[in-house]
Amino acid sequence: MPTQETIYAVADRVATITLNRPDKLNAWTATIEKEVRASLEEAGRDDGVRVIVLTGAGRGFCAGADMSLLTSVATQGLPGGEREAASRLGGDSLKREGILADFQKKYSYLLGVEKPILAAINGPVVGLGLVIALYCDLRLASEAARFSTTFAQRGLIAEYGMAWMLPRIVGLPNALDLLFSARQINSAEALRMGLVNHVFAQDNFLDKVHEYAVDLASRVSPRSLRVIKRQVYGAMFQTLAESFDLAVEEMVASLHSEDFREGVAHFLEKRAPAFEGR
C-alpha cells in the first residue's frame, strides 16, 4: 500500500503504523489522516494481523494538528460556511454494519476496529495527537513521553469527543485538570493517573512494545480479543442488566468456538496455543 506520510509494516502478526513526519514531530495532516484510516482498514481485513501498533517516527508521537493549518484558520478563518466547516471537521461516518454510530465518527472509529490498537507513545503527544491516542485501546509510553491537551492554550475546546473519552480513562478531576490547565505531564504522572498502561525505557522502547504486542498476538484468542473489545466499549452505553445478558449470549457462543476448544487443549497438553480466531 503506497503511502506518503506514514509507514505500514507487518511482522509477527503485528501491524505497525508509523506517522512519518519526524521533522514536524509527526504533526497531523489530512494525508496522515487518510493513510492511517486506510492502514487500519487493511490491518482489519488481514487475517495475518492480530494486533495493531500506532506510533511516530523520530522523537515524537504526534504534536497535534499541523500548525500551518491552524495559522491559516487563525488569520483567514475557516473556508466555506459554518455548516460546511462543521461537516468537514466532523468527518463522514463510515456507516459500517453492526458498529454503533458512536464508533463511526471522524476518530472514534478506532474503537470499532475489531483488533486491539496499541498507541506506542515514544515522545510528545499533544492536542489532536492525544485525541488519537485516547481512541487507541492501550497506551504504552516511553520515559521520554510528554502529554498535553493544549487546546485551552490555543483558545480551543476539548475536541473530537475528548470531553467524553478523557474522564472515562483518567477520571473527572484529572480530566478537568488536564483540560483546564493544558499543562504538560511526564510519563510517570500519566501512569499514576491511568492515562497510560505501561512505561518502558526509551532505549529499547519499540522493542518492548513489539514484545507486548506479539504476546497478545500469540498467547490469547483473537476471537476473545474481538468480542471483549466490542463488549467493553458497548457496555459504555448499556445498563448492567443489558451488559450481563449480552455476556451470557457471548459466553454460550464462545463455548461453541474453535478457540475455546484450543484454549482447553493447549492448557491440558502443556504446549503453546495455536488459536485461529474462530
Side-chain angles (χ1 to χ4, degrees):
M1 181 173 58
T3 56
Q4 293 177 280
E5 296 183 353
T6 62
I7 300 170
Y8 181 79
V10 177
D12 304 318
R13 294 187 287 195
V14 176
T16 300
I17 304 168
T18 304
L19 310 184
N20 192 31
R21 300 182 72 218
D23 56 323
K24 301 292 186 181
L25 282 178
N26 304 309
W28 196 264
T29 66
T31 299
I32 283 182
E33 182 173 317
K34 180 176 67 176
E35 291 181 3
V36 166
R37 177 171 286 194
S39 293
L40 287 170
E41 291 174 351
E42 172 71 18
R45 289 190 299 266
D46 187 348
D47 291 336
V49 169
R50 294 188 176 179
V51 178
I52 303 166
V53 172
L54 180 63
T55 192
R59 60 186 182 88
F61 180 81
C62 178
D66 189 273
M67 282 303 295
S68 63
L69 172 62
L70 297 183
T71 301
S72 173
V73 172
T75 57
Q76 302 175 32
L78 283 166
E82 285 190 18
R83 181 173 298 180
E84 179 186 336
S87 176
R88 185 172 63 256
L89 290 171
D92 294 327
S93 294
L94 294 179
K95 296 181 175 60
R96 291 179 296 175
E97 198 68 30
I99 303 294
L100 286 174
D102 299 86
F103 305 153
Q104 299 193 48
K105 296 296 184 181
K106 189 177 182 72
Y107 301 114
S108 72
Y109 76 89
L110 276 78
L111 302 179
V113 175
E114 291 190 328
K115 298 172 183 179
I117 304 174
L118 316 182
I121 303 170
N122 53 315
V125 56
V126 175
L128 181 55
L130 185 55
V131 171
I132 303 303
L134 293 178
Y135 283 121
C136 295
D137 301 305
L138 299 175
R139 283 154 295 282
L140 313 179
S142 81
E143 292 173 337
R146 297 293 182 270
F147 307 78
S148 175
T149 60
T150 206
F151 294 123
Q153 292 180 341
R154 301 289 174 267
L156 296 169
I157 50 83
E159 294 183 353
Y160 296 113
M162 180 180 271
W164 194 91
M165 286 296 295
L166 190 59
R168 283 164 171 76
I169 294 172
V170 302
L172 183 60
N174 285 326
L176 289 173
D177 171 27
L178 295 176
L179 287 166
F180 283 176
S181 70
R183 66 187 180 90
Q184 184 183 102
I185 64 171
N186 61 23
S187 57
E189 186 172 0
L191 182 64
R192 285 197 298 272
M193 67 173 59
L195 182 58
V196 301
N197 301 89
H198 300 282
V199 175
F200 300 126
Q202 178 70 6
D203 57 358
N204 62 348
F205 173 64
L206 288 180
D207 290 338
K208 285 294 185 181
V209 171
H210 189 72
E211 181 181 312
Y212 185 98
V214 170
D215 189 61
L216 283 184
S218 58
R219 291 186 60 251
V220 298
S221 158
R223 182 187 184 280
S224 293
L225 293 178
R226 182 170 66 246
V227 174
I228 289 169
K229 179 171 179 175
R230 187 168 65 240
Q231 281 182 280
V232 169
Y233 292 129
M236 292 179 173
F237 304 93
Q238 297 166 346
T239 64
L240 172 58
E242 290 169 335
S243 180
F244 186 100
D245 291 344
L246 179 60
V248 171
E249 292 178 17
E250 293 290 3
M251 179 169 57
V252 171
S254 71
L255 293 173
H256 291 89
S257 71
E258 293 181 20
D259 274 12
F260 168 69
R261 289 191 287 274
E262 173 59 18
V264 173
H266 87 81
F267 177 78
L268 294 176
E269 297 167 13
K270 296 181 172 55
R271 58 171 174 80
F275 292 117
E276 296 293 335
R278 297 190 291 271

